[in-house]
C-alpha cells in the first residue's frame, strides 16, 4: 500500500521535506505519494532575495525561484498551486483544500502531513487599506514594489529596524529614493545586536544617505486624495513618504494547526509550532519553517527565528523521517548576517542579557578594531569584533562582527566554535587560514578571544 | 635577581615570544631582562607580504614591518640589529654574538634562550652567483626585486610551484612581465592539494597570462656576458628569463642549535627543531617559528609548516612559559590559503594518502561546484568544494576550496570543525550565516558534507 504525504505550503521548508521524503522512501524501496498544496502561484523561492530584487540586483522574480513547479512535478510531486488548506481533520487523516480559482473545496486524505505554512508579515492597523504601503515578504510583494518604483516615487519610508527593514532601506536608497527608516528600537536590530554592532549597521545605512530614526513610533499616516500614503506622522512631526515599506517582522501562520487542535508554543516563540528534534508535532504530523520555533542549542529552549537556512535544514530533517530514515535537527546558535550599504554585520550566540537572565551565567566581553586582511594590503578594510565569554572557564558565548568586505562571514567560524563549546583560549589557537589578502597573521576574532583569555588568567 | 632571556632572531616568533615573556613576567611581578639579537637590520616583518610588494600592492618595505626596532626598544627589549649568534654554550648559559658591522664578537650570558632563527630559502647550485636570480624571502630580497623591476625586464621565470612560487608569479605577471612558472610537481602545490584544487590554482595563474609548466626540472641556466640569467634550459628546450625567482621552499636554520648539541628532527620535518607543546627543547631552551616543526593534531606528529601564523602563535606560547605563565600550543590542522590571480585557494586537514598511509583510515571524498553567494546575486562567483571524510562514522578529515571572492576563507569553518572532530553530518547542520550577498541557504561546504553523510547512511 502506498503511503500518502500531504505537504501544506510549497516553499523552502515544505518542498525540502517533500523531496527528501521521496528520496529517502525510494532509497528504502518504499512507495510514497507526495501531494503539496500552495495558496500562491509560486514555489521554493528566496524571500530573503526580495530586498535585492527591489534594489535592482536581481533581474526578475524567476531568478529567485530555486525550483519551479515544473521541476517539482518532474521529481514526482503532485503540486497544486492556488490551493489553500482550510481545515485539518487529524482524526480522519484528511485535509479540506480550497481551489482558490474555482472556489470549490475537497478533502484530501493523508497518512502523514507536513505543515509548512510559513509566516505572515505584521501589518499594523494604520497601514491597512492604504495605497503604496506594502510589506517585503512574498514574490507578489516584490512585484508590487517593482511596479511602485516604476511610478518614480521620490521619498520612501521604511518602518522597522530588523533585517528586512535594513535591507529594504538599502535597496530603496540605492534605487535613488530619499529614504528614512523609523524604528521603535534604541538602535537597529537592538534586540539581537550589542550597541557597537548596531551602530555600525546604522552608519552603513547613513553612508548610503538613509536617515535612520530610532526610538520612535508611528502615530499615523497622512494620505493623498487617492487614499495613498503621503507622509508619516511621528512624534508630532512628519516624514514625507511616497511609498512605505513594512519591515515589522512576521508572525507564524498557525491558524490551521490551532484549529486542528495541535499544541502551540507560548508568547516567547510568538505562538509558533514547537516540533521535537525530528520535526514531529504529534504522530505523523510534521512541521518546519517559519511557522515553527527552532531549538536554540545555547539557550536550551525553542526560539522563533524565521530564517530560510533553518527552513531548508528542518524541512530536510522532517523529510528524512517521513521517508522512513532517521534524522534530527541539532538546533541553531543564533547566527545571522546582513549588509547595510557597504557595512557587513553578523552575529552568533547569546546577548549579555540572555546569558545572565536566562542562563544565570557571569560573562566578560571585549571589543576591538582590526582589519579584514593584513593592514598593508590595498583591500584591507576596518572591522570591529565583539566577543563575549563565560567569566568562569572562558567558554565562548557570543561573537558579533561588523566591517568591510570579508568581515562578516568570519562569523561561521565562531558559530562552529560555539556549537562545539570551545573556550576563548582554544579559539585563539585554532589553525585559521592566514595569507595577506585574506587575514592578518592573527585572525581578528582570535585577537579578541586572546584578550579575554588573558583577562581570565 | 633579574633573569635574562636571550632571543636569537627578531622576527615573528622571536619577538612574539619576547613581548609575551615581558608581559607575563611583569604581570607576575617578576623581573625579566630581554636581549634580542638579529643578523639583519629588520624586525617583525611580514615575509608573506613580499610577493605583494613585488606586485605593487604594497607601497614599500616599511608597510610590511609590524613592529619597528624603536617600538621593540620602547617596550623594554634590548635589541641588537646586525648581530649574529655564532655559538651557543648551553652548559655555560652563554651565547657568542658577532657584531656584523665591527666584526667583533662577545659572549652574552642568559638564563633562558629562545631560538627563532627561522628558515633559509633553498638555492640550487645552478643559481649560485648568477645575477638577477633571487629568492623571495626577506625584506632585502624584496628590495632586490624592486630594483630588478626598475630595470624593466620583459620576461620572468619562477621556479617552484608552492605558495611563494604561485604568489610571485602572480605578482610578476601583474607587473606586466611575460612570466613562466616551472615546477617539478605534477600540478601546482601537488603535495598538499588534491588535483581539482591544484588545477584551479593553475587556471588562476593562466588567466593572468602566466605559462605554467608542470613535471619539469631545470637542467641549467644560460647567462649573458655580464653573468646575468638570460634563459633557463628545460628538457632540451629553453625559456627566456630576464629575471628568475626562486620559490623552492625553505630549510630550517638550525646550525647554531645543532652545534650546541640540541636534538633535531628527522628528514620528515627537514631536520627542524621539535619543541614540546610548551615550545621547550630542553630545560630553559625554547624555540618557535620556521626553524621548528609544529605538531599536527590530525597526524599526531610534528610537521614542517613554515607559516607566519604558527610562528606568532608558538612564539606567544613560548613567551608565556618563559615569563612564568603556563601555555601550550595545541597544534595545527594543515590550514593554508592563497590566491592565484582571481582564484582563491584554501585547504585544511589531510590528503587522502596521508589518511590511508599514515593513519590507516578508509576515506570517502566528494567534489562539487556551487556559488559563493545566492546564485541570483550579482557577486555570485563559482566555487569548487572537495571534502574527505572517514568512511566509518563520517568524521570530517579534509576540505579544499577554490573559487571567486569569498570562497577560500570559508576554510576556517572547516578547520574549526576538524579540530573539534565533527562528522560530515554534524557539519551539514551547523548554524552558518545565510543571507543572499554572503551564501546560498545551504553553505556550499555543508552541501558537500551532506552528500557524504547521505552516502554513509
Amino acid at each position: 500500500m502506498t503511503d500518502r504525504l500531504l505537504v501544506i505550503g510549497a516553499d523552502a521548508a515544505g518542498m525540502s521535506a517533500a523531496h527528501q521524503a521521496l528520496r529517502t522512501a525510494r532509497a528504502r524501496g518504499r512507495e510514497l505519494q507526495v501531494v503539496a498544496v500552495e495558496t500562491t502561484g509560486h514555489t521554493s523561492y528566496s524571500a530573503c532575495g526580495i530586498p535585492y530584487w527591489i534594489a535592482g540586483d536581481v533581474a526578475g522574480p524567476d531568478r529567485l525561484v530555486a525550483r519551479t513547479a515544473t521541476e517539482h512535478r518532474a521529481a514526482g510531486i503532485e503540486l497544486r498551486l492556488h490551493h489553500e488548506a482550510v481545515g485539518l481533520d487529524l482524526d480522519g487523516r484528511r485535509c479540506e483544500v480550497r481551489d482558490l480559482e474555482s472556489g470549490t473545496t475537497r478533502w484530501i486524505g493523508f497518512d502523514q502531513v507536513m505543515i509548512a505554512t510559513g509566516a505572515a508579515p505584521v501589518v499594523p492597523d494604520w497601514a491597512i487599506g492604504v495605497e503604496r504601503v506594502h510589506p517585503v515578504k512574498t514574490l507578489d510583494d516584490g512585484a508590487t514594489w517593482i511596479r511602485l518604483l516604476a511610478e518614480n516615487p521620490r521619498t520612501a519610508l521604511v518602518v522597522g529596524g530588523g533585517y528586512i527593514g535594513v535591507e529594504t532601506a538599502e535597496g530603496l536608497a540605492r534605487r535613488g529614493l530619499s529614504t528614512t527608516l523609523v524604528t521603535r528600537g534604541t538602535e537597529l536590530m537592538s534586540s539581537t545586536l550589542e550597541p557597537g554592532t548596531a551602530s555600525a549597521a546604522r552608519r552603513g545605512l547613513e553612508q548610503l544617505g538613509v536617515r535612520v530614526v530610532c526610538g520612535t513610533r508611528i502615530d499615523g499616516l497622512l494620505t493623498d486624495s487617492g487614499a495613498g500614503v503621503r507622509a508619516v506622522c511621528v512624534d508630532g512631526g512628519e516624514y514625507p513618504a511616497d511609498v512605505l515599506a513594512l519591515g515589522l517582522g512576521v508572525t507564524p501562520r498557525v491558524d490551521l494547526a490551532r484549529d486542528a487542535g495541535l499544541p502551540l508554543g507560548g508568547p516567547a516563540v510568538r505562538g509558533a509550532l514547537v516540533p521535537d528534534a525530528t520535526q514531529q508535532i504529534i504522530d505523523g504530523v510534521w512541521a518546519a519553517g517559519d511557522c515553527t520555533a527552532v531549538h536554540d542549542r545555547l539557550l536550551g529552549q525553542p526560539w522563533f527565528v524565521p530564517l530560510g537556512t533553518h527552513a531548508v535544514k528542518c524541512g530536510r530533517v522532517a523529510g528524512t523521517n517521513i521517508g522512513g530514515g532517521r534524522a534530527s535537527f541539532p538546533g541553531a546558535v543564533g547566527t545571522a548576517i546582513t549588509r547595510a550599504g557597504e557595512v557587513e554585520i553578523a552575529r552568533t550566540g547569546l546577548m549579555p542579557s540572555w546569558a545572565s537572565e536566562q542562563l544565570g551565567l557571569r560573562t566578560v566581553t571585549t571589543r576591538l578594531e582590526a582589519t579584514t586582511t593584513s593592514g598593508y594590503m590595498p583591500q584591507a578594510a576596518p572591522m570591529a569584533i565583539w566577543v563575549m565569554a563565560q567569566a568562569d572557564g572562558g567558554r565562548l558565548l557570543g561573537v558579533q562582527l561588523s566591517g568591510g568586505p570579508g568581515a562578516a562571514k568570519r562569523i561561521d567560524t565562531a558559530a562552529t566554535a560555539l556549537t562545539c563549546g570551545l573556550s576563548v583560549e582554544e579559539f585563539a589557537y585554532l589553525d585559521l587560514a592566514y595569507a595577506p589578502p585574506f587575514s592578518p597573521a592573527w585572525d581578528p576574532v582570535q585577537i579578541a578571544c586572546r584578550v579575554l583569555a588573558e583577562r581570565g588568567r
Side-chain angles (χ1 to χ4, degrees), chain A:
Chain A
M1 211 193 84
T2 301
D3 264 8
R4 181 189 280 166
L5 165 67
L6 175 66
V7 176
I8 303 174
D11 203 351
M15 296 318 267
S16 291
H19 285 275
Q20 182 66 3
L22 268 183
R23 262 193 305 266
T24 308
R26 282 173 186 163
R28 281 160 178 69
R30 292 169 58 158
E31 300 268 336
L32 183 70
Q33 182 194 11
V34 180
V35 179
V37 296
E38 165 61 41
T39 54
T40 76
H42 312 292
T43 63
S44 305
Y45 65 90
S46 170
C48 320
I50 292 171
Y52 302 97
W53 180 19
I54 293 175
D57 290 333
V58 180
D62 293 350
R63 296 279 292 141
L64 296 178
V65 175
R67 275 194 284 209
T68 62
T70 308
E71 289 168 310
H72 292 305
R73 287 171 183 143
I77 294 165
E78 206 177 309
L79 173 65
R80 303 190 190 164
L81 297 177
H82 306 292
H83 278 67
E84 183 177 9
V86 293
L88 194 53
D89 172 9
L90 292 173
D91 290 338
R93 282 301 200 237
R94 58 183 194 154
C95 182
E96 191 177 13
V97 172
R98 177 176 295 133
D99 179 337
L100 296 176
E101 288 172 340
S102 70
T104 57
T105 65
R106 52 173 287 215
W107 290 91
I108 299 179
F110 58 79
D111 300 286
Q112 303 190 76
V113 63
M114 169 78 196
I115 302 176
T117 42
V122 172
V123 178
D125 289 343
W126 50 254
I128 293 170
V130 186
E131 300 274 315
R132 303 195 303 276
V133 174
H134 282 278
V136 186
K137 178 74 174 77
T138 63
L139 278 190
D140 290 334
D141 291 334
T144 299
W145 278 101
I146 297 300
R147 202 171 60 244
L148 288 175
L149 290 173
E151 295 167 10
N152 294 314
R154 292 169 58 194
T155 56
L157 199 110
V158 177
V159 187
Y163 289 86
I164 288 292
V166 166
E167 292 161 4
T168 303
E170 174 188 318
L172 293 171
R174 285 169 52 212
R175 290 292 286 245
L177 279 77
S178 171
T179 303
T180 302
L181 183 150
V182 174
T183 176
R184 283 190 286 181
T186 52
E187 260 294 2
L188 296 174
M189 305 180 268
S190 56
S191 62
T192 57
L193 295 185
E194 61 85 37
T197 315
S199 66
R202 179 166 45 72
R203 282 196 304 278
L205 284 188
E206 287 170 350
Q207 282 159 9
L208 275 181
V210 175
R211 171 155 53 168
V212 178
V213 184
C214 296
T216 297
R217 277 169 189 277
I218 306 288
D219 296 325
L221 297 186
L222 299 179
T223 52
D224 60 20
S225 56
V229 66
R230 182 171 64 76
V232 176
C233 303
V234 173
D235 288 345
E238 60 184 69
Y239 294 108
D242 295 336
V243 293
L244 190 149
L246 296 169
L248 292 165
V250 297
T251 48
R253 266 203 199 90
V254 289
D255 290 355
L256 186 77
R258 181 194 295 114
D259 294 348
L262 289 170
L264 299 179
V269 295
R270 313 249 180 113
L273 286 158
V274 184
D276 64 18
T278 68
Q279 300 298 134
Q280 193 167 245
I281 305 290
I282 59 170
D283 190 40
V285 179
W286 310 82
D290 291 0
C291 61
T292 63
V294 297
H295 176 69
D296 188 290
R297 292 166 93 130
L298 302 175
L299 291 170
Q301 62 181 56
W303 202 244
F304 184 61
V305 193
L307 288 176
T309 187
H310 301 323
V312 293
K313 290 186 180 113
C314 294
R316 190 179 171 92
V317 165
T320 299
N321 292 315
I322 292 166
R326 293 180 70 173
S328 59
F329 182 66
V333 294
T335 310
I337 192 167
T338 191
R339 203 182 62 184
E342 300 293 306
V343 178
E344 299 184 357
I345 302 286
R347 76 167 318 284
T348 192
L350 304 174
M351 288 284 278
S353 61
W354 309 351
S356 60
E357 292 161 23
Q358 298 195 48
L359 300 177
L361 300 176
R362 284 196 314 120
T363 59
V364 287
T365 63
T366 193
R367 187 176 166 78
L368 62 83
E369 314 267 321
T371 52
T372 51
T373 70
S374 290
Y376 53 78
M377 293 295 286
Q379 66 267 51
M383 68 176 284
I385 304 99
W386 175 90
V387 175
M388 179 172 69
Q390 192 169 347
D392 306 323
R395 183 164 67 105
L396 187 65
L397 293 176
V399 174
Q400 298 192 17
L401 304 172
S402 59
K409 200 69 169 96
R410 282 179 155 93
I411 205 70
D412 286 349
T413 311
T416 305
L418 282 173
T419 302
C420 297
L422 293 195
S423 69
V424 281
E425 173 87 21
E426 288 168 324
F427 193 94
Y429 285 95
L430 285 172
D431 185 6
L432 305 186
Y434 160 59
F438 297 98
S439 178
W442 283 95
D443 182 89
V445 186
Q446 291 187 302
I447 299 175
C449 285
R450 218 177 66 187
V451 169
L452 286 183
E454 289 280 324
R455 210 188 286 171
R457 274 167 192 273

